[in-house]
Amino acid sequence: METEGILFVYNSHGCIAFKSRSESSKFLIFLDGMGGNILSSQYFMNLKDYCDSNSIVLVYPQLRSHPNYKLFTIQNDIEDISSLVNKIDGNIVILGHSTGCQDSLLYIEASKNPKVKGIILQAPVSDIEANDDLNLKDSVLKAKNSGLFFEYNGDIWLSERFITVYDERNREDLFSSYLTDSEFSKWKNYCPILSVLSLKDEFCEKNLKKWAWWKFWKKVTTL
């Protein structure tokens, strides 16, 4: 893959972002999911071509948690996004993929930044319902009783991150089918939201109840 653009450092942690060369006051920030990295998205070139053709500046950041998400918190993500948004002078739409959806919503909830004119959620999936570990709740309990780090299936996690990802109704549990209408609908108080339901996503829960996602779409989408 070859493309032209600008790489720049956007915070004190040395995080970098790609910016396309379009000249515009309209910006699209693309937030990748767990394990993602700068320019790693399979549809990056399609997204860039669309932005170039429509006079939109595409910004693709690497967060501190990319790709080592197990060792950083969701709060680290929100702080990185805030630093990036503060560097941009223009109107912004945030496109989140997978965990980038949680990042997008938690950022706008925390910042209420008027520069963000809308959010697109692409493949918003429950990490809890996508995990087929029958002992997941026991693992969450062990993580809560662990120190700074926690081992799960041979991987080392920051205990806090494991808990926010896999504890029911914790900070990152935003898209599970058992959540109530009010838990879904609160998000449209912050800005217009478009949810793109990717039922064929490889990480999507295989027995996903379509009615639950339709309920989520109706409650959250405001575009």
Side-chain angles (χ1 to χ4, degrees), residues 69-123:
Y69 62 90
K70 299 180 182 75
L71 302 179
F72 293 88
T73 67
I74 194 72
Q75 183 60 34
N76 294 149
D77 285 1
I78 295 168
E79 292 167 359
D80 292 344
I81 297 164
S82 180
S83 297
L84 178 65
V85 170
N86 290 339
K87 292 276 189 181
I88 295 174
D89 183 16
N91 296 322
I92 298 169
V93 170
I94 299 176
L95 168 58
H97 166 69
S98 192
T99 300
C101 297
Q102 281 94 327
D103 282 335
S104 302
L105 293 181
L106 293 173
Y107 164 74
I108 196 62
E109 179 184 40
S111 71
K112 302 175 180 64
N113 194 318
K115 289 196 293 186
V116 178
K117 304 302 182 183
I119 288 174
I120 302 171
L121 307 177
Q122 194 271 314

Side-chain angles (χ1 to χ4, degrees), residues 72-175:
F72 293 88
T73 67
I74 194 72
Q75 183 60 34
N76 294 149
D77 285 1
I78 295 168
E79 292 167 359
D80 292 344
I81 297 164
S82 180
S83 297
L84 178 65
V85 170
N86 290 339
K87 292 276 189 181
I88 295 174
D89 183 16
N91 296 322
I92 298 169
V93 170
I94 299 176
L95 168 58
H97 166 69
S98 192
T99 300
C101 297
Q102 281 94 327
D103 282 335
S104 302
L105 293 181
L106 293 173
Y107 164 74
I108 196 62
E109 179 184 40
S111 71
K112 302 175 180 64
N113 194 318
K115 289 196 293 186
V116 178
K117 304 302 182 183
I119 288 174
I120 302 171
L121 307 177
Q122 194 271 314
V125 173
S126 166
D127 292 301
I128 295 172
E129 293 180 326
N131 190 316
D132 58 5
D133 182 0
L134 299 179
N135 298 311
L136 184 60
K137 289 186 177 180
D138 291 337
S139 296
V140 170
L141 182 59
K142 290 178 182 178
K144 290 181 178 180
N145 293 319
S146 296
L148 183 62
F149 295 101
F150 169 73
E151 183 179 352
Y152 178 70
N153 289 344
D155 293 327
I156 300 299
W157 285 71
L158 199 62
S159 298
E160 178 184 343
R161 187 62 190 270
F162 187 87
I163 293 166
T164 61
V165 171
Y166 290 121
D167 188 26
E168 289 186 9
R169 286 188 162 84
N170 212 302
R171 199 171 184 192
E172 297 184 59
D173 185 18
L174 305 185
F175 307 118

Side-chain angles (χ1 to χ4, degrees), residues 18 20 22 28-31 41-54 56-60 95-97 120 122:
F18 168 89
S20 62
S22 298
L28 179 69
I29 296 176
F30 177 73
L31 299 178
S41 172
Q42 294 182 6
Y43 57 85
F44 163 72
M45 288 303 300
N46 293 334
L47 191 59
K48 182 178 180 295
D49 289 344
Y50 175 85
C51 289
D52 289 346
S53 299
N54 290 275
I56 300 170
V57 181
L58 174 62
V59 180
Y60 191 155
L95 168 58
H97 166 69
I120 302 171
Q122 194 271 314

